[in-house]
Amino acid sequence: ILKIISSEAFLLLIFIYFLSRISVLAPPHLQAMAGLPFTLACNITMETGEVLKQVLWLDMANKTILHYQPDKNDHVTKVDGVELSQQTASQQAHTSVITIRRAAPANEGCYQCLFDVYPTGQQRGRTCLSLTAMVEMMDNKTVVSGKPLTLSCKYVLSMRVRQVLWKKTAEQGDTATVASYVKNDRPIIETPFKGRITLNPSLGQTKLSIHQAQTEDEGCYTCEFHTYPDGIKSETACLSVYVLPKPEASYVTVSEDIVEANCSAVSRPAAEISWNVEGHNQTLGPAVTSFYQLGDGTTMVVSSIQMQAELLDDELVKCEVRHQGLESAIYVSLNKYRNFHVIPISASCVALVLLICLCICLKRC
């Protein structure tokens, strides 16, 4: 019995001796952002006389993802997406750092660094990786009234998502739930939005579609991913709804030599109106601009300017309307001679019709 105890004690002493001579350092836990690169590092300290023959890195399935021999720096065997980013060596220590190009859900787990040391044998370090993620959402959007649009956002760790929720915050600050989706169920559209909005049944990439945008759809939309164990992850984007102007121009006679020209445009947001004379780019005196807020969220802008009546004969007077939703300005011409031409043409048409009717009547008579 004494011999057996002595043998076990001897082996224990040998183990403690070698343990004190060699050690591997690696962070036990590491967190990385999904979609971004991350690094893993191990360091081994050895005693004099020990030689590092080979370094291997294993993934969570114990498959080799990279290995090399320290004395052969130009010979590294690795899988796609993994790089040896750093190695520093001395007689008593060696540091190995690898980079995985893009963190994905499949990369979660525990990695091992293996150091083949002679004569001690193989030494191991272990680092467990967990992922975190941010919600990816499109930037703020603008849509023309009556047109369709889709708001979308993405959470790459979809296996953690239990529910997706869309909320809308109006300009006044009121927040309302628009739609929601729970796994293995149908999307729910709240009553005020039914018939106009749809939500795709997805927990990872959610899309809220508005069939025909209206001014009341303007506001900020938040997509919430209710996850476990990370809690609620959310992001917000704002939607602006434009109503494009359809300007109209007319004039009235103020006195024998003076006319007042008026140009109006209803839009959202308010349009900018100016006057000019073609060929001269000349503003015809100060204009008076009035703004009228309409009940549907649009604004009527009316610009009035007085001018000499003769300008309608000599120049091409135009109303120029600019709006954020237009690539270029809209021009509406205002000319007296065009009104004069309309009357003779119309009169000629009426006379021609009367003449034809008279001829038909005479033949029948």
Side-chain angles (χ1 to χ4, degrees):
I1 296 174
L2 291 174
K3 289 183 178 180
I4 295 175
I5 295 174
S6 299
S7 299
E8 290 178 348
F10 178 72
L11 292 174
L12 180 60
L13 289 173
I14 292 175
F15 174 76
I16 294 173
Y17 172 73
F18 278 111
L19 185 64
S20 64
R21 293 173 58 226
I22 188 166
S23 63
V24 177
L25 296 178
H29 301 287
L30 182 67
Q31 190 174 67
M33 183 68 68
L36 298 179
F38 65 94
T39 59
L40 300 170
C42 277
N43 176 271
I44 186 170
T45 303
M46 301 171 294
E47 290 291 334
T48 304
E50 293 173 325
V51 180
L52 179 62
K53 295 293 186 178
Q54 183 177 234
V55 180
L56 298 93
W57 283 89
L58 307 183
D59 65 8
M60 62 290 303
N62 284 328
K63 293 182 179 179
T64 301
I65 57 175
L66 184 146
H67 71 87
Y68 63 94
Q69 295 177 8
D71 57 345
K72 297 180 180 179
N73 296 332
D74 58 342
H75 185 70
V76 178
T77 303
K78 57 188 178 62
V79 299
D80 290 340
V82 181
E83 300 288 341
L84 178 62
S85 54
Q86 181 185 352
Q87 62 161 318
T88 58
S90 65
Q91 291 184 349
Q92 283 79 37
H94 185 91
T95 299
S96 180
V97 181
I98 67 170
T99 299
I100 297 181
R101 193 175 303 141
R102 188 175 186 274
N107 296 123
E108 277 196 310
C110 296
Y111 294 80
Q112 296 183 75
C113 54
L114 276 61
F115 296 94
D116 288 337
V117 181
Y118 178 82
T120 308
Q122 194 174 77
Q123 306 297 316
R124 294 171 180 260
R126 187 168 180 263
T127 299
C128 293
L129 176 73
S130 62
L131 291 186
T132 185
M134 296 179 63
V135 177
E136 301 173 23
M137 190 171 189
M138 69 177 75
D139 295 330
N140 297 338
K141 293 197 72 173
T142 300
V143 65
V144 174
S145 178
K147 299 294 184 180
L149 85 149
T150 297
L151 299 170
S152 65
C153 56
K154 182 180 180 181
Y155 190 72
V156 295
L157 304 179
S158 59
M159 72 292 295
R160 301 182 186 178
V161 181
R162 300 293 183 263
Q163 180 185 24
V164 176
L165 193 68
W166 281 87
K167 294 180 179 180
K168 175 196 171 188
T169 302
E171 186 178 357
Q172 298 78 9
D174 300 330
T175 299
T177 300
V178 179
S180 60
Y181 173 68
V182 179
K183 188 176 181 179
N184 298 327
D185 204 349
R186 293 183 178 181
I188 297 175
I189 309 298
E190 299 300 321
T191 301
F193 306 95
K194 283 185 177 179
R196 300 193 304 108
I197 287 178
T198 56
L199 177 65
N200 70 320
S202 172
L203 293 176
Q205 186 162 9
T206 177
K207 297 180 180 181
L208 187 74
S209 299
I210 302 176
H211 303 158
Q212 292 182 327
Q214 306 298 325
T215 53
E216 59 264 30
D217 294 321
E218 190 165 281
C220 293
Y221 290 80
T222 300
C223 64
E224 291 184 354
F225 293 93
H226 293 226
T227 73
Y228 179 82
D230 301 329
I232 296 177
K233 301 288 185 176
S234 65
E235 193 57 74
T236 300
C238 295
L239 172 67
S240 298
V241 180
Y242 285 170
V243 177
L244 299 183
K246 297 178 180 178
E248 297 179 354
S250 61
Y251 68 89
V252 294
T253 301
V254 177
S255 63
E256 183 177 352
D257 299 327
I258 303 296
V259 296
E260 181 180 274
N262 297 287
C263 185
S264 63
V266 176
S267 63
R268 179 185 177 95
E272 296 179 3
I273 299 178
S274 59
W275 296 88
N276 62 55
V277 177
E278 191 176 70
H280 296 282
N281 195 25
Q282 177 184 348
T283 301
L284 305 178
V288 177
T289 303
S290 303
F291 298 87
Y292 304 93
Q293 302 295 329
L294 305 183
D296 60 356
T298 58
T299 302
M300 174 183 282
V301 182
V302 179
S303 180
S304 303
I305 190 170
Q306 291 190 354
M307 64 187 73
Q308 297 291 326
E310 62 185 16
L311 285 174
L312 297 180
D313 297 324
D314 299 336
E315 304 289 351
L316 184 62
V317 179
K318 291 189 296 185
C319 162
E320 179 180 338
V321 179
R322 295 187 177 275
H323 188 270
Q324 297 176 28
L326 297 172
E327 293 183 359
S328 57
I330 298 176
Y331 295 91
V332 182
S333 299
L334 181 72
N335 283 89
K336 190 175 181 181
Y337 74 87
R338 291 189 177 183
N339 296 334
F340 288 157
H341 281 298
V342 171
I343 297 174
I345 293 173
S346 301
S348 300
C349 293
V350 173
L352 180 59
V353 172
L354 291 175
L355 181 60
I356 293 173
C357 293
L358 182 59
C359 292
I360 293 174
C361 291
L362 289 175
K363 287 181 180 181
R364 288 182 179 179
C365 295

